[in-house]
Amino acid sequence: MNRIKLSNGEDLPLEMHKVKIVQKLELKPVEKRLEAIKEAGNNTFLLRNRDVFLDMLTDSGTNAMSDLQQAAMLTADDCYAGGESFFRLEAELKKVFNKKFFLPAHQGRACEHLLSRVMVKKGNIVPMNYHFTTTKAHIRLQGGDILEIPADEAFNTSSDALFKGNIDISKLKKAFKQHKGKIPFVRLEAGTNLIGGQPVSLQNIKEIHALCKQNNVPFVFDASLLQDNLFFMKTQEDSCKDKSILEICNEVADNVDIIYFSARKFGCARGGGICLNDEKLFSEIRQLVPLFEGFLTYGGMSDKEIEAIAVGIRESMDIDMISQGPQFIKFMTEELKKAGVPVVTPPGGLGCHLDAKAFLSHIDPENFQAGSLASAFYIISGVRGMERGTIAEERNKDGSECIAKIELLRLALPRRVFTMSQIKFTIDRIIWLHKNRDLIDGLEWEEEPEILRFFLGRLKPVNDWQERLVEKFKQDFDL
Ligand code: F0G
């Protein structure tokens, strides 16, 4: 474990890796950043990366790779069909998940597409702890809908509940009664992304498994953020304390029927796949892989990435490797909390999450608190975060805005990428912004796409607040 004590008693997360390859960064002047965010329609997805100092948009496909992953990429058996790289990944997945079949896909949402297309029918309801944007979109595209039944604590942003990602078992029981015959599967997401990377417990998985079995409904597990979740099981769940990460992972897998993952997160490379035992379902999905993804032994991934995923998954069974993310996030969250900044607690995986509802309580939710915070924070720091709130929702059926249950600015910490001084810089700028939060105002739509609007939508400030924020920043930092 890479948490040590300094002689002054301070707890410090210590990196158990060293940097061997670097990319030069540039911190552009604040005026340039204001220009860049305006050009991007106040949408951090639309910024050019050259205008970004620290890219905390996501951990998806941006984790640092190890030397062994890079080395494995050179051994890729590049070919269209039957490549050894595929069989090496398949063997690695067998060790961690122990399912009979593996179907490759180019990334996580492709798995969601394949599963929804085969399993979801019009009028179906999919109970889950919480949705991920692409999951919900694919289920709805098939005419189904989702039912979110997390524990009540899930939406309490300042909590000390350890497994806020858990499904509320009594609500799941009720759902089985209420929607009998309409539930194609139950979905549980590890490291629940949109509520702040919050973990699920092994105990909860076992309880869901038993209920699914009783009701003869498959249990689907989204393992994209499993790496962080395994860390939390090992360190916070009594029954896991004496088990190895691999043993915990095996036990998780034994208690779910279908596992899919984004290897942009799990495996620290780029790709995805589905692991399952059900031969009938496997045959049905298998036919679609060459149609939508690519031939069965690459599924839209390059053989080099397939090799990197295989090694990345093996490395994810190492506590030193998987503790880096959660420990850096904990450090950042605790420092911000000490300074009075509203952050999601307990700290989860994936990134540090600012509670934009509390941070910008003076802004009307219809003017997008998290979106406004993302824009303001980029302007004053060059750090790119991601809005995870109302902009990431879809409008209600009557056309009104669907105000998100929680409004978060997610500052993702891709694994092993940032140094402690970069984290300290980020913390400092957040604290400055919090002190000057009254200068921030809202955003409104300029261009609103119909599907997954957060990716490509453009917004504009409701007045000249951004210019005023820049002025204050320049004054305070003598620029
Ligand atoms: N499931 C979860 C829990 C995810 O976090 C993601 C992606 C997906 C599925 C889809 O996987 O991107 O490989 O198609 N999350 C990224 C993020 C995009 O930024 O949080 P994908």
Side-chain angles (χ1 to χ4, degrees):
M1 299 274 280
N2 60 354
R3 197 158 188 127
I4 51 108
K5 259 203 193 325
L6 296 183
S7 48
N8 67 5
E10 192 188 331
D11 239 354
L12 189 74
L14 192 65
E15 297 87 341
M16 297 307 281
H17 54 263
K18 68 176 181 181
V19 178
K20 294 219 273 188
I21 293 187
V22 296
Q23 178 182 349
K24 187 174 158 28
L25 294 173
E26 197 184 344
L27 177 55
K28 298 219 164 142
V30 66
E31 296 88 350
K32 278 262 180 275
R33 301 197 295 258
L34 176 62
E35 234 170 71
I37 199 72
K38 281 189 187 294
E39 265 168 38
N42 285 282
N43 180 347
T44 54
F45 277 100
L46 301 182
L47 283 167
R48 289 192 59 163
N49 204 31
R50 65 174 186 203
D51 296 324
V52 171
F53 175 46
L54 303 177
D55 190 10
M56 298 190 180
L57 183 73
T58 178
D59 63 333
S60 172
T62 55
N63 297 295
M65 280 202 203
S66 70
D67 48 359
L68 297 182
Q69 282 182 290
Q70 297 269 343
M73 288 173 92
L74 287 175
T75 67
D77 185 21
D78 289 313
C79 66
Y80 191 89
E84 280 307 304
S85 302
F86 173 81
F87 295 107
R88 282 197 274 270
L89 175 58
E90 191 182 50
E92 211 54 58
L93 284 164
K94 188 118 193 149
K95 282 186 214 153
V96 294
F97 294 147
N98 196 24
K99 299 288 181 207
K100 272 192 218 142
F101 307 111
F102 166 55
L103 291 162
H106 77 276
Q107 61 185 88
R109 70 200 68 184
C111 305
E112 290 168 341
H113 168 226
L114 296 171
L115 288 168
S116 301
R117 187 174 267 264
V118 170
M119 297 177 83
V120 178
K121 307 277 171 295
K122 199 165 186 290
N124 278 179
I125 298 286
V126 182
M128 57 181 68
N129 50 349
Y130 204 58
H131 76 282
F132 183 69
T133 50
T134 52
T135 327
K136 178 156 118 184
H138 278 298
I139 290 169
R140 287 200 169 158
L141 212 57
Q142 299 305 319
D145 212 340
I146 61 162
L147 175 70
E148 292 168 332
I149 45 169
D152 291 340
E153 275 298 294
F155 304 113
N156 179 0
T157 48
S158 69
S159 159
D160 51 15
L162 294 180
F163 292 100
K164 286 203 294 187
N166 282 350
I167 277 183
D168 182 324
I169 296 295
S170 63
K171 286 185 189 151
L172 182 58
K173 282 185 188 155
K174 219 185 269 166
F176 274 128
K177 271 200 198 122
Q178 210 171 345
H179 304 288
K180 205 171 168 58
K182 285 192 186 161
I183 300 183
F185 57 87
V186 172
R187 172 181 176 275
L188 186 75
E189 183 181 307
T192 327
N193 191 332
L194 297 189
I195 58 167
Q198 298 295 319
V200 298
S201 69
L202 180 58
Q203 178 60 28
N204 194 243
I205 290 176
K206 287 182 178 171
E207 287 171 28
I208 299 165
H209 180 221
L211 268 181
C212 283
K213 224 167 160 186
Q214 243 175 45
N215 288 276
N216 211 12
V217 165
F219 182 9
V220 173
F221 186 62
D222 179 343
S224 306
L225 289 163
L226 179 59
Q227 172 178 327
D228 300 331
N229 206 125
L230 287 169
F231 168 83
F232 290 113
M233 285 168 167
K234 168 82 182 168
T235 54
Q236 296 180 170
E237 211 169 345
D238 274 345
S239 71
C240 295
K241 283 214 161 73
D242 298 324
K243 290 178 189 147
S244 70
I245 300 298
L246 179 61
E247 283 168 340
I248 302 169
C249 187
N250 287 161
E251 206 169 334
V252 168
D254 285 348
N255 282 283
V256 300
D257 299 308
I258 300 164
I259 302 172
Y260 76 88
F261 60 95
S262 166
R264 299 178 67 84
K265 298 176 189 275
F266 186 60
C268 290
R270 291 145 208 98
I274 306 170
C275 300
L276 72 172
N277 284 333
D278 183 331
E279 191 155 5
K280 186 166 165 287
L281 191 60
F282 165 71
S283 313
E284 276 180 76
I285 301 175
R286 194 169 104 112
Q287 307 177 56
L288 300 178
V289 175
L291 177 63
F292 290 110
E293 299 302 312
F295 191 67
L296 275 176
T297 52
Y298 75 92
M301 293 180 274
S302 81
D303 286 309
K304 291 185 179 55
E305 295 286 343
I306 292 177
E307 293 284 0
I309 297 167
V311 175
I313 288 177
R314 195 182 318 143
E315 290 177 340
S316 304
M317 299 299 124
D318 172 0
I319 187 76
D320 278 345
M321 182 323 190
I322 65 174
S323 53
Q324 187 274 331
Q327 292 190 340
F328 266 49
I329 292 161
K330 185 168 189 248
F331 176 85
M332 185 163 165
T333 305
E334 284 175 353
E335 291 299 308
L336 289 170
K337 198 173 165 211
K338 270 190 247 162
V341 177
V343 275
V344 172
T345 58
L350 202 167
C352 175
H353 294 76
L354 308 188
D355 178 356
K357 244 186 194 136
F359 201 116
L360 298 178
S361 55
H362 60 283
I363 297 183
D364 186 334
E366 299 237 348
N367 290 119
F368 311 117
Q369 291 154 313
S372 306
L373 188 56
S375 169
F377 188 51
Y378 167 73
I379 294 171
I380 64 106
S381 66
V383 178
R384 158 155 81 165
M386 188 191 287
E387 190 267 4
R388 298 277 73 168
T390 299
I391 297 175
E393 290 288 342
E394 285 167 32
R395 281 188 182 265
N396 296 317
K397 288 201 172 107
D398 66 4
S400 58
E401 275 294 355
C402 169
I403 301 299
K405 290 193 187 84
I406 44 180
E407 288 277 345
L408 305 179
L409 171 59
R410 183 182 85 180
L411 298 169
L413 297 190
R415 295 156 191 90
R416 298 180 294 194
V417 169
F418 297 121
T419 61
M420 193 42 97
S421 44
Q422 290 169 335
I423 301 290
K424 284 189 173 174
F425 165 82
T426 308
I427 292 168
D428 177 74
R429 290 303 189 259
I430 296 169
I431 293 172
W432 181 88
L433 190 62
H434 187 244
K435 284 190 187 129
N436 290 280
R437 62 190 178 278
D438 289 346
L439 287 171
I440 307 174
D441 208 337
L443 298 171
E444 58 193 22
W445 286 111
E446 198 171 49
E447 211 180 294
E448 185 188 348
E450 254 171 56
I451 304 172
L452 296 176
R453 60 187 190 169
F454 62 92
F455 279 129
L456 300 173
R458 301 180 64 84
L459 298 106
K460 58 175 195 277
V462 292
N463 54 43
D464 66 348
W465 64 264
Q466 295 179 321
E467 281 74 14
R468 282 184 273 124
L469 185 66
V470 168
E471 273 322 300
K472 180 71 178 9
F473 180 79
K474 284 169 68 174
Q475 255 173 38
D476 283 10
F477 291 93
D478 285 332
L479 298 168

